Amino acid sequence: IEQLDFLEKKYGFLDPTIPLIDNHNKQGVILTFDDGLKDHFDYVLPELEKRNIKGVFYIPTGHYNTKKMIDVHRIHLLLGKYGGKVIYSSLKQYVNREMLTHIDYDDFRNKTYISQGNDNYTAEVKKTLNYYIDYKYR
């Protein structure tokens, strides 16, 4: 609720059903929800409906076929259990440079996770597992 209050006051919201070209002179944000969590349905959607705000909900479906939790959720569970420093140390031990096919992208290195308030270890773990490492090694 506080995040919606902040975004509404600072930026306002755009309607994602209106083409961006028609919104080119308007300021605002489009809300997106990427993880397909039940909490989005139980808590976010009713709040958006109450405020008459639209958002885009992306529902991952691959895990229904693989029977595996999506990567971002597995990473969060690991970080919650062991912390960034422990996982970072393990990554340094088991991951070699050849596995990190995307590590040289400046946007990943310099712009990803900078506003989340993570400690340096946690940020590096997230960058490594979500962006740097080649998918076949995840």
Side-chain angles (χ1 to χ4, degrees):
I1 292 176
E2 291 173 7
Q3 290 175 338
L4 289 174
D5 291 342
F6 170 80
L7 290 170
E8 190 166 33
K9 184 176 180 179
K10 183 151 178 110
Y11 303 104
F13 298 108
L14 296 175
D15 183 338
T17 65
I18 297 173
L20 289 177
I21 193 75
D22 296 334
N23 279 317
H24 73 281
N25 287 326
K26 297 180 182 175
Q27 281 196 328
V29 297
I30 294 176
L31 297 174
T32 63
F33 303 89
D34 300 341
D35 296 335
L37 299 173
K38 186 177 183 314
D39 287 353
H40 292 162
F41 182 78
D42 291 341
Y43 302 106
V44 175
L45 184 59
E47 187 63 28
L48 295 182
E49 288 175 332
K50 184 170 91 177
R51 296 172 182 239
N52 197 29
I53 300 169
K54 291 181 173 64
V56 179
F57 293 81
Y58 295 97
I59 311 300
T61 58
H63 64 284
Y64 291 110
N65 295 327
T66 64
K67 305 294 188 231
K68 293 181 180 177
M69 188 181 300
I70 63 176
D71 289 346
V72 68
H73 295 163
R74 291 192 291 180
I75 293 165
H76 282 279
L77 286 172
L78 288 169
L79 287 167
K81 180 158 178 94
Y82 300 106
K85 189 172 184 177
V86 169
I87 297 172
Y88 180 80
S89 295
S90 293
L91 287 174
K92 292 303 248 180
Q93 183 178 357
Y94 294 107
V95 175
N96 63 49
R97 176 81 168 117
E98 293 79 41
M99 297 172 160
L100 304 176
T101 55
H102 299 97
I103 196 167
D104 295 321
Y105 292 167
D106 286 338
D107 282 352
F108 291 154
R109 175 141 311 282
N110 300 319
K111 296 179 182 177
T112 306
Y113 302 121
I114 60 170
S115 62
Q116 284 190 355
N118 298 308
D119 62 71
N120 290 338
Y121 294 111
T122 299
E124 281 305 307
V125 167
K126 287 181 174 184
K127 289 180 200 179
T128 300
L129 295 177
N130 284 320
Y131 297 104
Y132 299 160
I133 197 164
D134 190 283
Y135 195 76
K136 66 183 173 188
Y137 298 112
R138 287 187 189 181

